[in-house]
Amino acid sequence: MVCLGNVCRSPLAEGILKDKVKKAGLKWYIDSAGTNGYQPGCPPHQSSQNIAKNYGIDIGKHQCRHFTKEDIDEFDKIYVMDDENYNDVRKICSHTWSEEKVEFLLNEVYPGENRIVPDPWFGGEDDFTEVYELIDKACEVIVKKYALADAAKTEAL
Ligand code: 4NP
């Protein structure tokens, strides 16, 4: 899960997806990162922590980090929140860019529309709630889609 600062949207996306994956009994490795120079090691934005906590998800231990060019090899799928993140990831991974791996998160709900999860950095609690709901919807689709694919693969073995 990738956003700009790795303090508002992507730590929330990491927490929500981890929660759904755990509840579905899946064993996926999930992480998040930011494309800009926000101080590595800092915790998620307090409003992201608060909204997550309202849904029983603790993201307080996350330490923000930078997205690196190695991440594109490390992960099967890279989800970005908006156009800026998409372009940043493409720049950072210029030699290993993979069109299929990098996707707008909301394309899981609205395929091909490249809708964005808006940056709530200058917003209030309502903006963080909207962000939570958008991410939650997308993560629900991801778990259903890939869990079914995993099950089909296991059955075929
Ligand atoms: P995020 O939000 O990309 O969702 O983590 C932001 C965090 C920090 C800044 C901007 C957006 N910033 O300008 O420091």
Side-chain angles (χ1 to χ4, degrees), residues 111-132:
E113 294 189 19
N114 294 354
R115 290 197 198 189
I116 65 161
V117 178
D119 180 356
W121 178 250
F122 293 110
E125 296 297 322
D126 285 355
D127 299 287
F128 281 85
T129 303
E130 184 199 0
V131 163
Y132 185 96

Side-chain angles (χ1 to χ4, degrees), residues 16 23 27 29 37 57 90-91 99-100 106 126 136:
I16 293 170
K23 285 173 178 160
K27 289 194 167 42
Y29 180 66
I57 300 171
R90 187 155 46 184
K91 255 182 249 158
E99 189 90 38
E100 306 80 55
L106 290 189
D126 285 355
D136 185 70

Side-chain angles (χ1 to χ4, degrees), residues 3-11 36 38 85 119-122:
C3 64
L4 180 65
N6 193 216
V7 280
C8 299
R9 293 165 292 177
S10 60
N36 89 336
Y38 207 81
N85 314 150
D119 180 356
W121 178 250
F122 293 110

Side-chain angles (χ1 to χ4, degrees), residues 73-113:
D73 297 321
E74 177 85 4
F75 292 89
D76 298 319
K77 198 80 196 166
I78 311 276
Y79 287 109
V80 297
M81 305 295 141
D82 63 26
D83 305 74
E84 187 183 6
N85 314 150
Y86 189 89
N87 292 330
D88 283 347
V89 167
R90 187 155 46 184
K91 255 182 249 158
I92 293 164
C93 304
S94 55
H95 299 298
T96 47
W97 171 250
S98 165
E99 189 90 38
E100 306 80 55
K101 259 192 196 182
V102 185
E103 187 65 276
F104 284 73
L105 178 62
L106 290 189
N107 277 353
E108 292 291 0
V109 187
Y110 309 103
E113 294 189 19

